[in-house]
Amino acid sequence: MQHKQLHYFLALAETLHFGRASARCYISASTLSRNIKQLEQEVGSELFVRDNRQVQLTSAGMHFIQYAKSTLAHWQQFKTSLSQEQEIAGELSIYCSVSAAYSFLNPLLSALRQRHGKIEMKLHTGDPAQAPERVLDHHEDVAIAARPERLAQQLAFCRLGWSELVFIAPKIPCEVSQQINQGGAIAWEQLPFIIPEQGENRTRLINWWRTRRIQPPIYAQVSGHEALVSMVSLGLGVALIPQVVLENSPFSDKVQVVKVGDAPRPFEIGLVALQRRLSEPVIGACWQLAEQL
């Protein structure tokens, strides 16, 4: 029984989909299927029931999950014990937004470079809403993300800091800024909003609308937070953004913060990784440093 086959089994047990599991393991679906069959032959029992429409764990498969996790955990502990007197080396793939790279990521990378100079870091930036999924799908080792209302059970979260959520509007003379600056109560239900396509920021904003019982017009939906500031600065609408995004935006002087007494609560920003991978030397070293920041 090979360790890679246990990894393949756990990926399929989590996704219950050969296509997604094979992509997560960077192998073909046929290779995954062949390894699962070999594993079942060695175990002496079917671990999955599959047909043309779905994949389900058998009773034996459900019991085998704990064995696979325990075996891989002990293997990682053994490898870690052998390397305790050696300098940790390897690759670490990190995903975050551009704004997070400027703020929360910088202290972590600095500490990693000083403590573990042989770790090669690969940074990918993009929409923060995709961060948890990229870790779950094994595209990245760790990511920086806002803690969602419901954190996936497979994920570990280490808080790095907080970011207030603020409403912004354009400064330039336009219909939107006139409505904001006219004095008196702001008619939010009449203002065009620019909102994220997905993610916790979008969820918090929609909940805020529901609390106020309003349904404002949506001017545009964009990927990521940085583009929100740019579009607001052009006078196209208003937006809800994390304060850290505004602080690092080149358009921060072209927008104004609109004070709202019942603004959505702040984001808890942190590092996310798969729970079962925290025992791996490189990811574990990164995690320990994050806990000390």
Side-chain angles (χ1 to χ4, degrees):
M1 188 178 300
Q2 301 178 29
H3 288 130
K4 69 176 182 179
Q5 291 177 327
L6 298 181
H7 281 295
Y8 297 165
F9 165 78
L10 289 174
L12 186 57
E14 290 176 7
T15 62
L16 294 178
H17 191 282
F18 274 91
R20 288 194 291 270
S22 60
R24 176 182 294 189
C25 298
Y26 301 102
I27 59 175
S28 66
S30 60
T31 299
L32 174 62
S33 179
R34 183 171 63 255
N35 277 272
I36 294 297
K37 287 180 180 178
Q38 291 173 354
L39 189 59
E40 288 176 326
Q41 290 173 357
E42 190 166 352
V43 171
S45 178
E46 285 192 343
L47 301 175
F48 297 95
V49 176
R50 52 269 209 193
D51 56 32
N52 293 331
R53 292 180 297 177
Q54 62 181 357
V55 178
Q56 295 292 331
L57 282 160
T58 63
S59 177
M62 295 178 67
H63 285 90
F64 194 71
I65 289 177
Q66 186 57 44
Y67 170 81
K69 288 183 176 180
S70 177
T71 299
L72 290 174
H74 283 116
W75 173 241
Q76 289 298 336
Q77 290 171 5
F78 174 71
K79 289 198 299 182
T80 300
S81 67
L82 291 180
S83 62
Q84 281 181 342
E85 297 181 357
Q86 303 174 1
E87 189 172 357
I88 296 175
E91 291 185 356
L92 180 69
S93 175
I94 306 172
Y95 181 86
C96 67
S97 68
V98 173
S99 296
Y102 290 147
S103 49
F104 298 104
L105 181 62
N106 188 273
L108 179 59
L109 290 187
S110 178
L112 269 172
R113 179 56 60 194
Q114 291 178 16
R115 232 29 114 71
H116 306 289
K118 289 190 176 181
I119 293 180
E120 180 184 349
M121 290 166 279
K122 294 185 176 182
L123 175 62
H124 303 128
T125 58
D127 186 350
Q130 298 178 4
E133 286 300 322
R134 289 184 68 91
V135 172
L136 285 169
D137 291 341
H138 288 243
H139 289 302
E140 317 290 347
D141 298 318
V142 297
I144 294 178
R147 186 185 184 107
E149 289 288 342
R150 295 182 179 180
L151 185 69
Q153 188 175 7
Q154 306 99 304
L155 291 178
F157 184 92
C158 177
R159 187 174 68 220
L160 298 175
W162 299 84
S163 179
E164 298 287 338
L165 289 173
V166 296
F167 287 95
I168 58 172
K171 279 186 177 180
I172 62 171
C174 62
E175 186 176 339
V176 175
S177 59
Q178 287 175 4
Q179 289 179 271
I180 291 291
N181 300 322
Q182 65 184 355
I186 298 173
W188 291 99
E189 68 278 5
Q190 298 176 14
L191 290 171
F193 270 79
I194 303 164
I195 69 174
E197 291 179 336
Q198 57 185 332
E200 189 63 20
N201 189 17
R202 178 189 176 100
T203 300
R204 301 261 179 108
L205 176 61
I206 291 175
N207 287 338
W208 186 79
W209 289 348
R210 289 172 179 165
T211 300
R212 289 203 166 204
R213 297 181 180 179
I214 61 175
Q215 184 58 59
I218 297 175
Y219 178 83
Q221 302 185 51
V222 301
S223 175
H225 293 152
E226 288 78 16
L228 295 173
V229 188
S230 175
M231 295 188 74
V232 169
S233 72
L234 295 173
L236 302 177
V238 297
L240 177 70
I241 64 166
Q243 177 73 37
V244 66
V245 174
L246 181 61
E247 291 172 352
N248 290 288
S249 173
F251 304 103
S252 60
D253 61 339
K254 294 180 173 58
V255 300
Q256 57 180 310
V257 173
V258 184
K259 299 295 183 181
V260 177
D262 61 343
R265 67 184 185 283
F267 272 165
E268 183 180 8
I269 309 295
L271 195 68
V272 294
L274 284 170
Q275 289 273 9
R276 60 185 175 84
R277 298 192 65 195
L278 294 182
S279 58
E280 296 179 18
V282 173
I283 296 178
C286 176
W287 199 262
Q288 290 176 5
L289 289 176
E291 291 178 327
Q292 297 169 13
L293 293 177

